[in-house]
Amino acid sequence: MISLQRMLGLFMLMLLHGAPITPGTMTTLPATAKPTVVTFPLELNPPRVVVRYGDSVSVNCSTSSTDHKGMGWEATFGDAGFEQDVNIVTWTVDNLTDWTIKPKCYMPLIDGEQASKVLPVILYKPPDSVSISVLRHSGPMVEGTEYQLQCDIQNMAPLQNLVVKWYKGNEPLDNVTYSNVSKTPVDVSATLMISPSRHDDGAQYRCRAELDLGPEGPQPHPTVTSEPLSITVHYAPEFLPGNDTVEVSAGSDVSLDCSAEGNPPPELRWTNNTAEGNANETTVGRLRTLYISRVTANATYNCTVTNGLGSITKQIQVLVDVPPQQHPTMFSTAPSTPGTMTTLPATAKPTVVTFPLELNPPRVVVRYGDSVSVNCSTSSTDHEGMGWEATFGGTNFEQDVNIVTWTVDNLTDWTIEPKCYITLIDDEQASKVLPVILYKTPDSISISVLRHSGAMVEGTEYQLQCDIQNMAPLQNLVVKWYKGNEPLDHVTYSNVSKTPVDVSATLMISPSRHDDGAQYRCRAELDLGPEGPQPHPTVTSEPLSITVHYAPEFLLGNDTVEVSAGSDVSLNCSAEGNPPPELRWTNNTAHNVKSSTEGRQRTIRITKATSTNAGIYICTATNRVGTATRTTTVTMKGGSTSISLTIVIIFPVIFLIFLIVFFMCKKRQGFYNFIPVNQPNDVPLMPLPTIGVGNHDPEGYPMKV
Ligand SMILES: *[C@@H]1O[C@H](CO)[C@@H](O)[C@H](O)[C@H]1NC(C)=O
Ligand SMILES: *[C@@H]1O[C@H](CO)[C@@H](O)[C@H](O)[C@H]1NC(C)=O
Ligand SMILES: *[C@@H]1O[C@H](CO)[C@@H](O)[C@H](O)[C@H]1NC(C)=O
Ligand SMILES: *[C@@H]1O[C@H](CO)[C@@H](O)[C@H](O)[C@H]1NC(C)=O
Ligand SMILES: *[C@@H]1O[C@H](CO)[C@@H](O)[C@H](O)[C@H]1NC(C)=O
Ligand SMILES: *[C@@H]1O[C@H](CO)[C@@H](O)[C@H](O)[C@H]1NC(C)=O
Ligand SMILES: *[C@@H]1O[C@H](CO)[C@@H](O)[C@H](O)[C@H]1NC(C)=O
Ligand SMILES: *[C@@H]1O[C@H](CO)[C@@H](O)[C@H](O)[C@H]1NC(C)=O
Ligand SMILES: *[C@@H]1O[C@H](CO)[C@@H](O)[C@H](O)[C@H]1NC(C)=O
Ligand SMILES: *[C@@H]1O[C@H](CO)[C@@H](O)[C@H](O)[C@H]1NC(C)=O
Ligand SMILES: *[C@@H]1O[C@H](CO)[C@@H](O)[C@H](O)[C@H]1NC(C)=O
Ligand SMILES: *[C@@H]1O[C@H](CO)[C@@H](O)[C@H](O)[C@H]1NC(C)=O
């Protein structure tokens, strides 16, 4: 194609100059009518020249003829003049700058005829500059749009030998040639249409002007290349492959992938149809992930990616496997199965048809006074229209729609039962009621002790009451009791009440001495199920601090003290209790016995003991709650064994023997369970489950030893 063009160019050039292409021909114009054409050898060497503008050139013109007068060159520059009797003349120019030069070698013959031959000269000049630009546009390009690149080539010749080559990176795109013929320098602009794709973002376009001057021309071709033009391609966002359904088990964490690419990098927005929280988002390059911790409810997450060129949305379903038995009291009054429609035709038997009337979300949990919006849609095609019927936010019957929306800005109707209905072409109607849970957290919560005030007494039962004011719905309330941070009990209600109620929960406590100063609290929590707010709305009471009074308790057990006659001895008694007990010694009336008090310890001191001091000393500790005693037996050393000592030692031995005998007699009669001796006395002695065969008393209690 190019070489054809170039040949055409050369051909036309020769025609313009009237030069023969074939070896020289001579037209003789004799007096005779018939002209004769004679061929003869007039040879140019080289036969044609390709010269760079300003370069030197030299061509010999020679002949093998013998009957000629001489030879010469005729040219605007480098005229060699006429030389006689030569067979060769040389045309030489040092600095060829004449674009239209037509050197001609001529040879007059003896017979007055003249032969001549024109030298084909191609004078060329590579461009001063080559540059690339985008026509009628600046800034980033948009994918799929057409743009025109222009290559400006300054001051080159000859046009017919120019090849403009376009490149993207190193990939050749297109070649352009010109059929216009121009020997003198011209400015040329070539254009290229492009419609870039996202993969062309950052691509570099170049154009190159090449002079293909044929086999006589310089090799490789003189070439000038433009600076590269880098393009930026913007394109609408596109999702990278990712799952659109994720199955997880309840309570586990899940990560949703919404990776997308686009230029400029798209912005991402997540929306969902759940009230659950606990999500965070991460972006690593094009990878966009939403982490959700502890999912409990099925939900749809929409991921929308947007840049200046577009916005697309992907829906990701999170399906949660739940073990059954969750939230049994929820939605007890509302249907949650797909809509059913009962048709009542003339025939006796009614038919039940199921059809898709879908509520989205399928149920709602709304805080009193909040806004709510639910879509009701159908895939039915043969219906007249749809509507919502509700005390607030109902819609009119809308014809020929597949979706109607129920919206309330400030939901305050406790008993609202919005119903979406559809009227089919045959005048049948179907409807679905939206289960609505309207909730309200308590106005106040307080804790008190019932029928008692002041300090409590250890081991006594008291009733704590938690008063919860004006909350709804009762069936979703959980009252939790705490002592300090320790959970004690929780209470739920099976009563169903949609409207706000006041509730009192009670807790029985029987405080021990260790509970003195303990703080009790109660907390009202609304567990509204997976659709409800997380964490649960909660109101906690002020703490109730209790004081526990308890009787004594001696720090030491009963004791025996041996005293030598004439020595001194001190007997100590100390006890604790709340309030602190009063301590008293009895049997300290002897003249050599003195009592004293030091802090919470009461001491009696016997000076110069005599046998009259031997005996049992009793310390009594008394407070409002009770009295306890502790004995100290004083014996005299070295003296005959006193009666009391005899009692102390001998009585337990006799008792033990009695016990063994008694036990052996009873054992023969059957099996017995013994109540441990340290069992607190206030624990009722319940009949034990029958273990083996045994004799029980008429009331079913085990026989007490
Ligand atoms: C022209 O002729 C001269 C003399 O014979 C010779 O030296 C020269 O090389 C020739 N030039 C060419 C281009 O043939
Ligand atoms: C050739 O001629 C041009 C124009 O006449 C001139 O500008 C240029 O300097 C010359 N070059 C040489 C090498 O003589
Ligand atoms: C342009 O021409 C070159 C040869 O000069 C050839 O290799 C190339 O394939 C051509 N490109 C196109 C796009 O025609
Ligand atoms: C080539 O010639 C055509 C008409 O003959 C003209 O429209 C066009 O502009 C010319 N191209 C150049 C590069 O001179
Ligand atoms: C899509 O889900 C399958 C099976 O649940 C999992 O193997 C795969 O890794 C997921 N692909 C992506 C991109 O998350
Ligand atoms: C998610 O997108 C779908 C369709 O694009 C729309 O119908 C639905 O309401 C959206 N859901 C959320 C929660 O944004
Ligand atoms: C779901 O959307 C709600 C409201 O837009 C938002 O408060 C909540 O954090 C979102 N939950 C998750 C897990 O993204
Ligand atoms: C996002 O959540 C994941 C999983 O729940 C957690 O590992 C990660 O640390 C969280 N990142 C941030 C920034 O909170
Ligand atoms: C989620 O949907 C699946 C199937 O639709 C169902 O089996 C599952 O019980 C649903 N989970 C919850 C929490 O509603
Ligand atoms: C909602 O309605 C209630 C009762 O009609 C009204 O007391 C309350 O101010 C309203 N709240 C808003 C935010 O409009
Ligand atoms: C007091 O001590 C005498 C012996 O000194 C003793 O016989 C008597 O039983 C004691 N009284 C009491 C109440 O323990
Ligand atoms: C001391 O013994 C008496 C009966 O002898 C008993 O009632 C009392 O509880 C005992 N005191 C202590 C502290 O053990």
Side-chain angles (χ1 to χ4, degrees), residues 586-587 611-618:
T586 55
N587 237 0
S611 60
T612 57
N613 292 120
I616 299 171
Y617 292 79
I618 301 170

Side-chain angles (χ1 to χ4, degrees), residues 566-682:
S567 63
D568 299 347
V569 67
S570 292
L571 308 181
N572 295 332
C573 181
S574 66
E576 66 169 10
N578 190 16
E582 202 176 284
L583 298 170
R584 203 156 49 84
W585 281 100
T586 55
N587 237 0
N588 55 346
T589 50
H591 65 92
N592 60 342
V593 178
K594 294 250 160 55
S595 76
S596 63
T597 305
E598 223 176 90
R600 294 179 65 180
Q601 175 164 308
R602 195 155 174 91
T603 304
I604 52 174
R605 186 169 174 78
I606 305 170
T607 33
K608 298 203 177 63
T610 64
S611 60
T612 57
N613 292 120
I616 299 171
Y617 292 79
I618 301 170
C619 176
T620 312
T622 310
N623 69 6
R624 257 179 296 176
V625 182
T627 300
T629 58
R630 169 180 180 249
T631 63
T632 306
T633 306
V634 175
T635 60
M636 297 309 289
K637 209 189 237 171
S640 60
T641 313
S642 72
I643 291 173
S644 56
L645 188 66
T646 309
I647 291 170
V648 165
I649 295 167
I650 292 173
F651 176 74
V653 175
I654 294 168
F655 181 77
L656 195 71
I657 292 166
F658 167 76
L659 201 75
I660 291 165
V661 171
F662 182 83
F663 180 77
M664 285 169 73
C665 293
K666 285 284 178 183
K667 187 75 179 176
R668 271 184 224 124
Q669 292 175 22
F671 178 87
Y672 284 89
N673 284 293
F674 285 88
I675 304 298
V677 282
N678 59 353
Q679 186 89 24
N681 283 337
D682 55 354

Side-chain angles (χ1 to χ4, degrees), residues 269-274 300-304 313-315 360 375 403:
R269 197 166 53 86
W270 287 97
T271 55
N272 66 63
N273 61 354
T274 167
T300 302
Y301 286 82
N302 282 5
C303 162
T304 303
T313 297
K314 168 174 169 174
Q315 270 181 296
N360 187 15
N375 283 344
I403 187 162

